[in-house]
Amino acid sequence: QVQLVESGGGLVQAGGSLRLSCAASGSSFSINTMGWYRQAPGNQRELVARISRSGSTTTYADSVKGRFTISRDNAKNTMYLRMNSLNPQDTDVYYCCAFVVIGGNIETLYCGQGTQVTVSS
């Protein structure tokens, strides 16, 4: 089993910044693509940003391009999301998800429990 734990959420004023972290733990696993998603109550979960295994390829939702930066440290099994110029529309629960291979088996999607980000106007 693999666990993903998000941290770094909180309350921030509009125009402010936050950095989210996602730490993966477990045994005998490797992580391929990772991503940040967000979801408001009653809405579908949407992709915020995605990063390849090497970190060389990133994808962003149009709504966050130029404001958010995704990165990862494979040595620490950790992914980050730097969020700048936050606005109230960014208020959501942010989830870390990763495609994980355990013990050489097939790739499986894991997601964390989420961290709340609230941006006040």
Side-chain angles (χ1 to χ4, degrees), residues 32-35 49-53 55 57-58 70-72 79:
N32 293 330
T33 298
M34 301 183 78
R50 182 171 56 218
I51 187 167
S52 63
R53 179 186 177 98
T57 302
T58 56
I70 189 171
S71 61
R72 64 190 289 173
M79 176 178 64

Side-chain angles (χ1 to χ4, degrees), residues 1-5 22-35 51-55 71-79 96-111:
Q1 279 289 351
V2 171
Q3 280 194 324
L4 300 176
V5 179
C22 170
S25 62
S27 60
S28 302
F29 69 95
S30 62
I31 303 176
N32 293 330
T33 298
M34 301 183 78
I51 187 167
S52 63
R53 179 186 177 98
S54 68
S71 61
R72 64 190 289 173
D73 184 337
N74 289 337
K76 297 181 179 179
N77 288 321
T78 301
M79 176 178 64
C96 161
C97 294
F99 287 94
V100 180
V101 178
I102 300 176
N105 292 324
I106 61 173
E107 193 177 68
T108 303
L109 180 65
Y110 285 83
C111 292

Side-chain angles (χ1 to χ4, degrees), residues 46-66:
E46 63 174 5
L47 175 69
V48 176
R50 182 171 56 218
I51 187 167
S52 63
R53 179 186 177 98
S54 68
S56 61
T57 302
T58 56
T59 303
Y60 295 92
D62 288 342
S63 59
V64 307
K65 282 180 182 177

Side-chain angles (χ1 to χ4, degrees), residues 13-16 63 67 84-91 119-120:
Q13 287 189 331
S63 59
R67 299 188 299 123
N84 295 329
S85 302
L86 285 161
N87 59 62
Q89 287 71 42
D90 295 316
T91 295
V119 184
S120 62

